[in-house]
Amino acid sequence: MPAKAMIFDSRVRTLHDFGSAPVNTISFNPQARLVLLAGFGNLAGKIDIVDRRTLGKITTIEAPNTSYCAWSPCGRFLLTAVLSPRLRVDNGIKIWHCTGPLMHVQPVDELYQAGWRPTPVDQAPAFAQTIPPPPQPAPSVASAAVNGKSPSAKPAGAYRPPGARGLATPAIFRREDEGGAPRVPGSGSATPPRGYSGRSANVPGSASPANGFYQANGQGSRRQVPGAPPRTPPAGGASANGSNGGENGALEKKRKKKEPKKKEKGGASGDGQSGAATPPNGDGETSARPSVDVQVNGSGASGVVPAGQSVPPTPGAEQLDPVAKKVRNLNKKLKAIDELKEKAKRGERLEATQLKKMEGEAEIRKELAALTGAGAA
């Protein structure tokens, strides 16, 4: 939302309202006669100079990419500078007269600081009752105009989406300072509601449009992509399962995607026989499922294990008894303690937890001896 600048008196009574504008800097000249309103940083660098006595705008200065701006001690000139490291190009200073003309230009390859020579305000010449006329510009202004870049014919402005560009900008896309509707605090939505014709609202809880179709004027039709060749929608009508043409096409695509997965799986059917026919599909046809013969104990049988024969156990399926597990854990601890001893022999520094672990070696060996003795008995 654009900023708003106002002037108040000592009793906080409004003296003047400058309105909303894209500004983030306000500064009075040393004599408090002129005031500037500017937008720097991520803004366009527009500077408005206003006469404090008449509250009328004197001029507007375009100073893009400005990093520093300051009034002169006499209050008649304005210094703008483009500094590094914020910008590595177009570094330099420009001096403007308070009525708008450019007085001096000095480009610098890398400029890190700029400013006026400190001068007490009482030693500076008094500001005249009327706005002083500008003096003759320095020769650097003419050479900069010849060697400089030609100004763009297209004025810089606020970004607008492609749908809002044109000769007439809709009011919903205009800022408040450009004549748009004032922003009214509401439910927190920053974008004003906009209605679109030619589309039917999708009621919450209802079925969503299937396969790219939507209901327009009570009839099903396909959305048209701009620039794409026109497509003829499939003929409607009820299918075997009572769905329309769009839903039937979606079910057909799903069935075709699932068929390769079924072929990769293979195997026996639900009753334990290979090559059994699957139940009828949605079209009323039967399709045979491929069978894969599995070699069990050297015999070429299908996935069913013959009676009287056992399937070989899976490696690692057997589980250790609790005593064996305990012995294995204690051996791991002893191995870790041996590694810590080797580190200590090499002169490495051990932590307090590692030293405590080494102190418990005797208890671990005693517990291990008891477990192995009980297992042998």
Side-chain angles (χ1 to χ4, degrees):
M1 184 176 179
K4 198 169 188 179
M6 302 177 67
I7 295 181
F8 300 89
D9 62 2
S10 59
R11 295 189 178 182
V12 199
R13 291 177 297 189
T14 303
L15 297 180
H16 184 70
D17 185 357
F18 293 100
S20 299
V23 298
N24 56 11
T25 303
I26 181 170
S27 176
F28 284 86
N29 70 338
Q31 290 77 20
R33 174 65 186 274
L34 304 178
V35 59
L36 68 84
L37 302 172
F40 300 132
N42 58 343
L43 299 180
K46 180 181 176 182
I47 304 174
D48 290 335
I49 298 180
V50 181
D51 188 354
R52 171 65 183 83
R53 183 172 297 178
T54 62
L55 295 177
K57 185 169 70 171
I58 298 174
T59 186
T60 297
I61 298 174
E62 299 291 341
N65 302 328
T66 297
S67 306
Y68 175 77
C69 179
W71 285 101
S72 65
C74 65
R76 295 183 298 167
F77 299 96
L78 193 66
L79 170 68
T80 61
V82 181
L83 305 178
S84 292
R86 187 179 184 277
L87 282 178
R88 297 288 186 179
V89 295
D90 297 336
N91 283 191
I93 63 172
K94 291 182 180 180
I95 298 178
W96 310 79
H97 191 258
C98 61
T99 56
L102 181 61
M103 297 285 99
H104 177 68
V105 178
Q106 183 175 346
V108 182
D109 291 338
E110 286 191 16
L111 182 62
Y112 291 91
Q113 186 176 1
W116 296 97
R117 178 183 297 174
T119 303
V121 179
D122 53 358
Q123 296 183 9
F127 200 88
Q129 294 295 326
T130 60
I131 304 297
Q136 188 70 20
S140 60
V141 177
S143 61
V146 174
N147 301 328
K149 301 177 182 178
S150 60
S152 175
K154 184 178 179 181
Y159 171 78
R160 291 185 178 88
R165 297 172 186 171
L167 299 179
T169 304
I172 59 174
F173 292 109
R174 294 180 184 174
R175 297 197 306 261
E176 186 177 349
D177 60 307
E178 294 180 347
R183 180 180 180 274
V184 179
S187 60
S189 176
T191 305
R194 298 185 289 274
Y196 295 96
S197 60
R199 296 185 185 179
S200 61
N202 188 19
V203 180
S206 62
S208 59
N211 198 22
F213 288 86
Y214 69 96
Q215 296 294 328
N217 300 326
Q219 298 180 357
S221 60
R222 181 181 289 273
R223 289 191 292 267
Q224 180 64 29
V225 179
R231 299 180 62 181
T232 305
S239 60
N241 55 3
S243 61
N244 56 21
E247 294 177 354
N248 192 19
L251 295 175
E252 186 69 18
K253 289 182 178 179
K254 282 186 177 181
R255 187 178 65 80
K256 289 181 179 180
K257 289 181 179 179
K258 289 182 179 179
E259 282 182 358
K261 296 181 180 179
K262 291 180 180 179
K263 291 181 181 180
E264 291 176 3
K265 280 187 178 181
S269 62
D271 57 357
Q273 296 181 4
S274 65
T278 59
N281 55 19
D283 299 334
E285 300 176 355
T286 58
S287 59
R289 297 175 62 183
S291 61
V292 180
D293 293 336
V294 181
Q295 298 291 335
V296 180
N297 296 332
S299 61
S302 59
V304 181
V305 179
Q309 296 184 7
S310 62
V311 180
T314 304
E318 67 279 358
Q319 296 187 2
L320 298 175
D321 58 331
V323 177
K325 284 185 178 180
K326 188 67 174 177
V327 172
R328 183 178 60 182
N329 293 336
L330 293 176
N331 287 329
K332 287 183 178 179
K333 292 181 180 180
L334 291 175
K335 185 177 179 181
I337 291 173
D338 292 339
E339 292 178 357
L340 293 176
K341 289 182 178 179
E342 292 295 331
K343 288 184 178 180
K345 289 180 180 179
R346 292 196 297 266
E348 296 184 12
R349 184 178 179 182
L350 300 181
E351 298 179 358
T353 55
Q354 295 174 333
L355 295 175
K356 188 175 181 181
K357 185 184 293 185
M358 293 175 61
E359 292 175 358
E361 179 183 5
E363 296 179 1
I364 295 174
R365 291 191 181 278
K366 184 179 179 180
E367 186 178 357
L368 182 59
L371 290 176
T372 52

